[in-house]
Amino acid sequence: MRSLGVLYRRELGMAWGRGGGPLLACAFFACIAALLPLAIGPSPERLAAVASGSAWLALALSSLLSLERLFERDFEDGALDLIALGPASLETVSAVKCLAQWTANGLPLSIMAPVVATALGAPLSLAVITFATALIGGLGFAFVGGTGAALALGARRGGVLVAVVVLPLLAPPVIFGAGAIEAYAAGMGWQAGFAFLAAYCLAAMGLSPFAMAAAVRNALS
Amino acid sequence: MFGLANPQRFMDATRRLPAVLGVVAGLLLAAGVWLSFTAPPDYQQGETVRIMFIHVPAAWMSLFVYVCLGGSAFFGVVFRHALADAAARAAAPLGAGFTALALATGSLWGRPMWGTWWVNDARLVSVLILFLFYLGYMALQASIDDEQKAARASGVLALVGLVNVPIVHFSVNWWNSLHQDASVFRIGGPTISWPILAPLLVMALGYTVLFLALWIVRIRTEVTRRRALSLALKAAGAA
């Protein structure tokens, strides 16, 4: 248990400190949000109609950014071999890594999500549900994305590959997250979408550590 | 089944199979095409209903091949059968081809029927995502140099995809019902009548046999390629 705590702190430090950390993902998020009005026109009505949906799309894209390094930096410098020799199983190690990824990237991004959505013209009353769905969804993004990152270990052009492998898997959380916000905005029951989103993320937390561990073992063998 | 997992026994057992299956598939497809063109035009859709005989079997195959791919990947990952890895690898481009055919013919059918090439209907979107799964699988396979590692990694991905196919399908259905599309697209008429159903079933059978023939050819090619590779390595080592 103590070793997992140490690992979590180490991962958090790496995710915050190295390679720009959450600042980079947040800047990317802001860049997409800035380009969107340029692409679809400045008319406030048109922007407001797509504001929360595109904030969710931008969120999914931004959370892909730092995934490439999640396993690769440890794979390259040999730290992953040491961790694999350690007392903790690779399944728990992968889960801890994804949790740290969520704390370091998902949390800042979900704080930014309502800001971006509001700036695009979504009403302020949606801020809380946007934050909540982004926070839960970020957990799913981290675990599903971590699976992609582990599978792409040792591959050429890992970054693009992670995006191609992971983005189709992110369809359900995007549907449920954006759907919950839309239902809330329309005054309908948003709980169903929110519950499905949470269920997807729980399933991802439960299942993807096994896929990640299998992928890491394969890459190290 | 496990007896055939030995590559040599598989190669011996399937020596004549592709030719036989190919002839059967050719006959079935020829009969299917003939039946498709002699079937009466639909009372609502007119002659365009004939696109269905190409489109619907392709859409069925897109899922069937994914199940074959996932099943092979399961045997490859869990039991480490080299032949299962080869089978999974061989199935992927075929499945992507059937899925692309389903998407393309669906789009061509949609133009005269719905007046648009593409609608964000639940079924269309989930087939598109299935196509992306195939592409992701092939991309991962192609970008890892070590073949054994590539097979194992993409096998894990195929299993992850197998779990996700029903989830994606469900979520897209949920999304579509939430948005309440203006019109519901269905084949006209209460049930499909026999003159329309017969060519559809014959074509579906023809597609399946064609897939099996091509799949076995591709697995055999894969086994031969690996043998050639190991022979080349041995020759390089001896020199």
Side-chain angles (χ1 to χ4, degrees), chain A residues 151 155-156 161 175 218-219 221, chain B residues 140 142-143 145 149 153 170-171 175:
Chain A
L151 285 169
R156 285 171 275 128
L161 191 68
I175 288 173
N218 175 41
S221 67
Chain B
L140 183 64
S143 59
D145 288 325
K149 284 187 182 179
F170 165 74
S171 68
W175 162 77

Side-chain angles (χ1 to χ4, degrees), chain B residues 52 54-65 98-99 101-103 105 123 127 130 207:
Chain B
M52 179 178 79
I54 305 174
H55 170 73
V56 172
W60 284 342
M61 292 308 291
S62 66
L63 268 179
F64 176 71
V65 177
F98 280 120
T99 316
L101 184 66
L103 286 170
T105 52
R123 221 178 288 181
V127 171
L130 183 65
Y207 271 53

Side-chain angles (χ1 to χ4, degrees), chain A residues 133 172-173 175-181 183 189-199, chain B residues 174 178:
Chain A
T133 51
I175 288 173
F176 296 137
I181 298 177
W190 52 274
Q191 292 91 342
F194 196 80
F196 280 134
L197 177 69
Chain B
W174 185 83
L178 183 80

Side-chain angles (χ1 to χ4, degrees), chain A residues 147 151-157 161 164-165 168-169 171-172 175-176 179-180 182 188 192-193 196 200 207 211 214 218-219 221, chain B residues 129 132-133 135-136 139-140 142-145 148-150 152-153 156-157 160-161 163-164 167-168 170-172 174-175 178-179:
Chain A
T147 311
L151 285 169
L153 271 183
R156 285 171 275 128
R157 291 167 299 147
L161 191 68
V164 172
V165 165
L169 297 173
I175 288 173
F176 296 137
E182 194 177 316
M188 296 188 298
F196 280 134
Y200 181 87
L207 294 177
N218 175 41
S221 67
Chain B
I129 293 179
L132 295 176
F133 277 171
L135 290 192
L140 183 64
S143 59
I144 300 181
D145 288 325
Q148 208 146 26
K149 284 187 182 179
R152 189 98 350 113
V156 173
L157 178 64
V160 170
V163 173
N164 269 279
I167 299 178
V168 167
F170 165 74
S171 68
V172 170
W174 185 83
W175 162 77
L178 183 80
H179 281 235

Side-chain angles (χ1 to χ4, degrees), chain B residues 11-135:
Chain B
M11 291 299 265
D12 291 340
T14 60
R15 194 171 301 278
R16 298 196 184 283
L17 208 50
V20 175
L21 287 177
V23 170
V24 174
L27 289 176
L28 278 171
L29 287 177
V33 167
W34 186 76
L35 281 172
S36 305
F37 278 105
T38 51
D42 187 78
Y43 77 98
Q44 272 184 332
Q45 309 203 3
E47 301 290 339
T48 51
V49 75
R50 300 188 203 290
I51 300 175
M52 179 178 79
F53 303 130
I54 305 174
H55 170 73
V56 172
W60 284 342
M61 292 308 291
S62 66
L63 268 179
F64 176 71
V65 177
Y66 200 86
V67 173
C68 292
L69 170 65
S72 310
F74 176 78
F75 280 103
V77 169
V78 175
F79 299 108
R80 317 221 151 183
H81 283 313
L83 195 68
D85 285 340
R89 186 187 164 130
L94 296 174
F98 280 120
T99 316
L101 184 66
L103 286 170
T105 52
S107 170
L108 289 175
W109 197 10
R111 183 67 196 157
M113 283 300 100
W114 306 336
T116 171
W117 300 107
W118 182 262
V119 286
N120 283 310
D121 170 62
R123 221 178 288 181
L124 274 76
V125 173
S126 45
V127 171
L128 181 64
I129 293 179
L130 183 65
F131 184 59
L132 295 176
F133 277 171
Y134 278 118
L135 290 192

